[in-house]
Amino acid sequence: MASLSTVVGSQPAIKVIALCGSLRQNSSNRGLIRAATEIAKESIEGLQIEYLDISPLPMLNTDLEVDGTYPPVVEAFRRKILEADSVLFASPEYNYSVTAPLKNAIDWGSRPPNVWGDKAAAIVSASGGSGGVRSQYHLRQIGVFLDLHFINKPEFFLNAHQPPPKFDSSGDLIDAEVRAKLKSLLLALHAFSLRLKRN
């Protein structure tokens, strides 16, 4: 199915769906998605980011698949992914891996036909300790099977608890240096997405 992206200037607009592995309202990872959306609107022409809430998705259960169809909330989720050019994952680290809600969303999207295939993708993580390194590596391994094409650089790992504060009490990003790093990642995702569309 063709992407619904429009054309901006001389090149197609890139439509990015952003998913957050944390369901907490004030999560730092949600804050990264909000900041990414702002950066795209303010300073990256042709990059459109839409946050997609994964909390309504039921736990994967193939008994819910009837005659090749899925529950309406799953069908709507899959359609959004299918229509996007790229995916931005905000992936905190739980127990050395990706979170259960994010893995569940990924698994629903992988049911036939796989809606993740041949899309560009990038990962950001705000977590304790190493900043989500292990969750990102696991997500990249999952992406191999799904035919997702992750950008390799820049990588974005953020220790959200290391001073000075990077987020306010609402989970909004307040650190200018981190914001600049996030913009670099978005520029790389934009460029790689355009390259894939031309091929």
Side-chain angles (χ1 to χ4, degrees):
M1 182 176 183
S3 165
L4 299 184
S5 297
T6 55
V7 175
V8 176
S10 60
Q11 60 189 18
I14 295 299
K15 182 176 180 180
V16 181
I17 288 295
L19 305 178
C20 183
S22 172
L23 304 185
R24 191 168 62 85
Q25 185 65 39
N26 294 338
S27 111
S28 300
N29 286 275
R30 276 205 193 189
L32 289 176
I33 289 177
R34 286 193 296 272
T37 304
E38 292 167 4
I39 291 167
K41 285 181 180 177
E42 293 168 1
S43 57
I44 307 178
E45 184 179 5
L47 189 67
Q48 304 164 354
I49 300 178
E50 179 184 353
Y51 168 66
L52 184 55
D53 185 8
I54 62 174
S55 64
L57 294 173
M59 289 301 293
L60 185 104
N61 179 352
T62 54
D63 287 344
L64 299 177
E65 301 175 22
V66 180
D67 297 328
T69 65
Y70 301 92
V73 66
V74 175
E75 291 280 10
F77 170 79
R78 287 170 53 84
R79 186 166 57 251
K80 283 283 190 181
I81 301 299
L82 191 62
E83 292 172 351
D85 299 298
S86 312
V87 185
L88 176 63
F89 294 96
S91 181
E93 183 177 312
Y94 289 8
N95 301 318
Y96 282 16
S97 191
V98 298
T99 67
L102 184 56
K103 182 61 165 60
N104 185 57
I106 290 169
D107 290 346
W108 272 123
S110 73
R111 297 296 298 160
N114 170 32
V115 297
W116 304 108
D118 291 326
K119 296 187 186 300
I123 318 170
V124 296
S125 295
S127 218
S130 60
V133 169
R134 297 177 187 89
S135 76
Q136 289 204 20
Y137 289 165
H138 280 190
L139 186 49
R140 286 176 181 274
Q141 288 175 321
I142 294 166
V144 171
F145 183 79
L146 301 176
D147 290 324
L148 273 169
H149 306 299
F150 283 103
I151 62 170
N152 291 323
K153 292 181 177 65
E155 294 180 304
F156 188 103
F157 312 111
L158 178 62
N159 186 329
H161 310 303
Q162 190 174 35
K166 310 296 189 299
F167 301 88
D168 64 17
S169 59
S170 298
D172 291 324
L173 182 64
I174 57 174
D175 187 289
E177 185 177 341
V178 173
R179 195 177 183 90
K181 290 178 180 177
L182 182 56
K183 182 178 178 179
S184 295
L185 177 133
L186 294 174
L187 287 168
L189 177 62
H190 186 214
F192 186 44
S193 300
L194 286 170
R195 203 170 98 203
L196 286 181
K197 282 180 74 73
R198 292 189 195 108
N199 292 340

